[in-house]
Amino acid sequence: MTKLAITLSRSADRSFEEFRQYYRDEHASLAADLPGLERYTVSFPADPESASYDALAELYFPDDETMAAAFDSDLGREVAADAETFADMDAAERVVLEEDVVVD
């Protein structure tokens, strides 16, 4: 299993609530249809004023190849373009991880 973790910060023209609402209502449903995506979570800070980012997205794919193909697809490009409309993608941090479940 391959996991992509992305930290996102809102664009300067959006409040935290606007960012969170757009992410939940628009962006998440778009990204949820990425081909090969097996699990998708997003977490928002309980205290956004003291947090260093506004959301943590975790996208799970069976392997690196499936993940790469998902983001190379037409929908993958649409998801990336949509993220640019509400998040500061220059500030985003991405890491590809192999997850070990300790407690489930």
Side-chain angles (χ1 to χ4, degrees):
M1 174 92 34
T2 297
K3 177 168 82 170
L4 173 63
I6 307 169
T7 62
L8 294 170
S9 297
R10 63 187 179 262
S11 56
D13 63 337
R14 290 194 187 248
S15 69
F16 175 74
E17 286 304 322
E18 290 170 330
F19 170 86
R20 182 168 55 181
Q21 181 177 2
Y22 185 86
Y23 196 115
R24 285 181 171 168
D25 296 346
E26 305 294 332
H27 187 74
S29 60
L30 184 66
D33 289 332
L34 284 166
L37 184 65
E38 293 186 346
R39 184 169 192 245
Y40 175 29
T41 66
V42 62
S43 303
F44 299 96
D47 182 6
E49 297 308 314
S50 67
S52 56
Y53 53 83
D54 295 308
L56 170 63
E58 296 173 295
L59 295 90
Y60 297 75
F61 296 89
D63 52 50
D64 292 349
E65 294 79 19
T66 303
M67 181 181 66
F71 287 103
D72 284 340
S73 70
D74 289 342
L75 180 57
R77 288 186 285 279
E78 187 178 347
V79 167
D82 184 63
E84 294 278 349
T85 69
F86 72 99
D88 178 359
M89 295 310 291
D90 291 333
E93 297 205 17
R94 298 166 187 84
V95 61
V96 176
L97 304 160
E98 291 182 19
E99 183 175 84
D100 292 328
V101 176
V102 177
V103 176
D104 193 10

